[in-house]
Amino acid sequence: DSGVTQTPKHLITATGQRVTLRCSPRSGDLSVYWYQQSLDQGLQFLIQYYNGEERAKGNILERFSAQQFPDLHSELNLSSLELGDSALYFCASSAINTEAFFGQGTRLTVV
Amino acid sequence: GQQLNQSPQSMFIQEGEDVSMNCTSSSIFNTWLWYKQDPGEGPVLLIALYKAGELTSNGRLTAQFGITRKDSFLNISASIPSDVGIYFCAGQLLDSNYQLIWGAGTKLIIKP
């Protein structure tokens, strides 16, 4: 158990819909990262937050947004969903300048 | 953007063989991390390296932080069936906002 909790574990939704993925980082970790992994692909970095502020942005679509709350949990919002958005979405957390620990992921299926 | 070149992309191995994979970049890193991902699961940290030249072992796994700070390798000795999976390297750039740069992964497959 990495200590990073993601909910829900599975999500099935229709095209055009909006979903919110949730991540609780390990206790004390200030950094949260979001990644997208499509079938048999590598990890695509989406966005990073540090102590509530956006720190780095990767290949995140304009239809996607994220935020980190004062209690350090984070949410990734995906809107106007398309079939191609079906993927595993991972959250990871880290303390300052240390290794990142991953959650179990949310498997999103858009039908 | 920044890139890590991870090779090989995939490996077909016999049980008991030693395995070697590496990551290289044109950028300088202050941390190298190696992860393993099983199907449908999140990547799990195997080894973390923090100093140039550092050689660290975790059971049958050994990883090294290159002297130039631009590369790292991971070796697995005497592979067993549960070693199958995808191995990712990740590096944290010097003077970055703790952002991790990821390799594309090495898929390890055991030959029947």
Side-chain angles (χ1 to χ4, degrees):
Chain A
D1 182 6
S2 67
V4 179
T5 304
Q6 286 188 249
T7 56
K9 203 163 182 185
H10 300 277
L11 197 50
I12 301 175
T13 189
T15 53
Q17 294 298 305
R18 182 181 191 273
V19 297
T20 297
L21 312 184
R22 196 178 192 276
C23 170
S24 294
R26 291 190 319 154
S27 176
D29 284 357
L30 297 180
S31 261
V32 169
Y33 310 78
W34 284 98
Y35 293 88
Q36 179 192 55
Q37 188 177 39
S38 300
L39 190 63
D40 289 335
Q41 298 294 313
L43 293 160
Q44 297 297 316
F45 170 66
L46 296 178
I47 197 162
Q48 177 199 354
Y49 279 83
Y50 178 78
N51 203 20
E53 292 189 7
E54 183 184 303
R55 270 296 172 97
K57 226 169 183 175
N59 297 322
I60 187 167
L61 299 171
E62 282 191 18
R63 299 184 286 110
F64 296 0
S65 65
Q67 57 185 132
Q68 187 179 26
F69 294 86
D71 66 352
L72 301 177
H73 92 270
S74 179
E75 291 181 355
L76 179 67
N77 300 297
L78 314 175
S79 61
S80 302
L81 284 166
E82 303 174 359
L83 294 177
D85 297 327
S86 296
L88 271 167
Y89 290 84
F90 288 106
C91 165
S93 76
S94 72
I96 296 174
N97 208 27
T98 65
E99 57 270 23
F101 292 86
F102 282 77
Q104 289 293 296
T106 293
R107 182 176 292 281
L108 174 67
T109 303
V110 182
V111 296
Chain B
Q2 303 290 344
Q3 280 192 322
L4 279 183
N5 299 309
Q6 185 171 351
S7 64
Q9 193 174 1
S10 60
M11 299 184 75
F12 292 80
I13 59 169
Q14 299 273 15
E15 186 176 346
E17 282 184 3
D18 294 346
V19 170
S20 186
M21 59 191 79
N22 68 83
C23 280
T24 61
S25 176
S26 57
S27 302
I28 294 174
F29 291 88
N30 66 354
T31 302
W32 281 98
L33 307 171
W34 285 93
Y35 290 82
K36 181 188 180 218
Q37 185 180 27
D38 291 324
E41 302 289 325
V44 173
L45 182 68
L46 299 173
I47 293 179
L49 303 160
Y50 298 104
K51 284 169 29 176
E54 181 181 352
L55 185 71
T56 297
S57 291
N58 178 5
R60 292 177 296 103
L61 277 60
T62 302
Q64 184 159 29
F65 192 143
I67 290 288
T68 64
R69 309 184 76 100
K70 296 180 180 181
D71 60 350
S72 177
F73 71 74
L74 175 71
N75 287 340
I76 305 172
S77 63
S79 56
I80 60 177
S82 62
D83 290 334
V84 166
I86 302 177
Y87 292 80
F88 290 101
C89 65
Q92 190 175 73
L93 289 167
L94 209 57
D95 299 328
S96 72
N97 289 324
Y98 317 124
Q99 185 184 352
L100 290 173
I101 310 298
W102 290 84
T106 294
K107 193 170 188 176
L108 203 57
I109 302 160
I110 297 273
K111 288 186 208 170

